[in-house]
């Protein structure tokens, strides 16, 4: 079995960056991922905030990052890590595929997943009419009404993007809009955007077809129905997996 100083679980931007730093410190590095390197950026159409890159397709950026790891001699392997044994000086990484790896140090960079509301109807429509990716699914709502849930930077920026496609965007948030003031101003100025602040979503509506959602004002108790052909949730992230 090859000897590694550092094993990094997850070859997204965080894992690959950690691998580059470790290799530059002359450590023997193993980079593991259950999928191709790149993590979430592989499925991102355009990235515009990576310093020095201008505007770049996510998959292209992932390839550039991976090439950088390969120039430094970092070992990449496929493996879905399901458990890590931390006893002793060598930590053991146990993979679902039946292989194990050993390293002195382990870095976990397995990313995050979107937080969900946990209200009735969400599970039924998740992945069809409820999405977490406006760039991926926004074009389905061309000329239709759509709902954005959340009030932070992701929600507000994606609502601005969707307002360029949809007939109407309703943004529903538990508090007020907490995104950067310039983004909030831009959103509020759009003629086809409705903002519902201080509303708690209680359920998604529709039997077979998504119809919108029901929400209750945390200030007045008023219950409203917000119509939409689909919804995008941006209420934060949580760890993808506990190892
Ligand atoms: C549609 C979309 C658009 C985005 N656009 C932008 C943008 O324009 N600009 C920007 O800065 N950010 C953007 N982001 C966010 C950016 O993609 C993430 O911040 C970034 O990918 C996080 O990197 P990470 O390495 O922490 O995790 P991830 O990218 O999630 O990578 C985690 C890796 O760990 C692997 N993994 C998980 N569990 C295991 C396991 N048990 N064993 C082995 N491997 C495992 C996964 O396969 C994955 O490759 C976007 C995200 C999405 C979804």
């Amino acid at each position: 079995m090859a000897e590694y100083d550092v094993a990094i679980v997850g070859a997204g931007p965080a894992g690959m960056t950690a691998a580059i730093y470790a290799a530059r410190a002359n450590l023997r590095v193993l980079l593991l991922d259950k999928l191709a390197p790149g993590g979430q950026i592989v499925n991102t159409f355009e990235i515009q905030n990576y310093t020095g890159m201008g505007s770049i397709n996510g998959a292209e950026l992932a390839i550039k990052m991976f090439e950088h790891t390969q120039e430094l001699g970092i070992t990449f392997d496929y493996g879905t890590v399901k458990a890590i044994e931390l006893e002793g000086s060598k930590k053991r990484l146990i993979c679902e595929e039946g292989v194990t790896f050993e390293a002195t140090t382990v870095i976990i960079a397995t990313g995050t997943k979107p937080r969900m509301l946990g209200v009735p109807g969400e599970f039924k429509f998740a992945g069809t009419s409820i999405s977490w990716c406006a760039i991926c699914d926004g074009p389905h709502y061309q000329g239709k009404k759509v709902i954005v849930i959340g009030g932070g930077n992701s929600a507000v920026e994606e609502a601005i993007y969707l307002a360029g496609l949809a007939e109407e965007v309703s943004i529903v948030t538990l508090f007020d809009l907490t995104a950067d003031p310039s983004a909030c101003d831009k959103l509020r100025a759009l003629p086809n955007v409705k903002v519902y602040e201080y509303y708690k979503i209680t359920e998604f509506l529709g039997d077979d077809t998504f119809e919108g959602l029901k929400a209750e004002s945390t200030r007045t108790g008023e219950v409203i129905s917000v119509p939409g052909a689909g919804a995008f949730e941006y209420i934060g992230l949580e760890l993808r997996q506990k190892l």
Side-chain angles (χ1 to χ4, degrees), residues 29-224:
V29 183
L30 169 68
L31 185 58
L32 272 179
D33 204 299
K34 58 184 176 183
L35 301 171
Q40 294 174 55
I41 59 166
V42 169
N43 299 316
T44 305
F45 174 62
E46 201 173 30
I47 294 186
Q48 296 183 319
N49 62 342
Y50 201 81
T51 310
M53 288 292 165
S55 176
I56 185 165
N57 173 268
E60 267 177 55
L61 181 58
I63 291 168
K64 279 182 185 286
M65 289 179 180
F66 184 63
E67 283 171 352
H68 193 166
T69 69
Q70 297 309 286
E71 284 160 17
L72 293 168
I74 292 162
T75 304
F76 172 80
D77 212 333
Y78 287 99
T80 308
V81 177
K82 64 172 184 181
I84 303 175
E85 291 174 359
L86 294 173
E87 300 78 32
S89 58
K90 289 284 173 197
K91 306 340 181 220
R92 282 169 67 84
L93 290 88
I94 300 152
C95 297
E96 274 176 24
E97 294 80 359
V99 281
T100 59
F101 297 93
E102 283 187 358
T104 311
T105 301
V106 177
I107 294 175
I108 300 172
T110 49
T112 54
K113 62 179 181 180
R115 184 175 295 139
M116 293 174 71
L117 288 165
V119 300
E122 186 178 41
F123 185 69
K124 182 169 62 173
F125 291 114
T128 53
S129 305
I130 300 177
S131 167
W132 291 265
C133 178
I135 288 178
C136 318
D137 298 323
H140 298 313
Y141 301 104
Q142 207 115 24
K144 297 181 183 168
K145 290 185 178 172
V146 72
I147 302 166
V148 172
I149 298 159
N153 277 312
S154 298
V156 168
E157 279 166 22
E158 300 302 56
I160 292 169
Y161 168 74
L162 287 166
L165 298 170
E167 177 202 343
E168 181 183 277
V169 176
S170 298
I171 182 162
V172 185
T173 175
L174 188 54
F175 304 107
D176 52 3
L177 298 182
T178 55
D180 296 340
S182 62
C184 295
D185 290 347
K186 192 171 170 186
L187 181 76
R188 288 184 198 278
L190 293 172
N192 62 339
V193 170
K194 288 183 176 169
V195 180
Y196 297 93
E197 290 166 305
Y198 295 96
Y199 276 92
K200 185 177 165 59
I201 293 162
T202 51
E203 67 174 298
F204 288 100
L205 303 171
D207 291 329
D208 296 327
T209 308
F210 185 90
E211 292 171 2
L213 58 79
K214 200 177 260 189
E216 183 180 340
S217 167
T218 59
R219 291 188 153 168
T220 64
E222 179 201 17
V223 175
I224 56 166

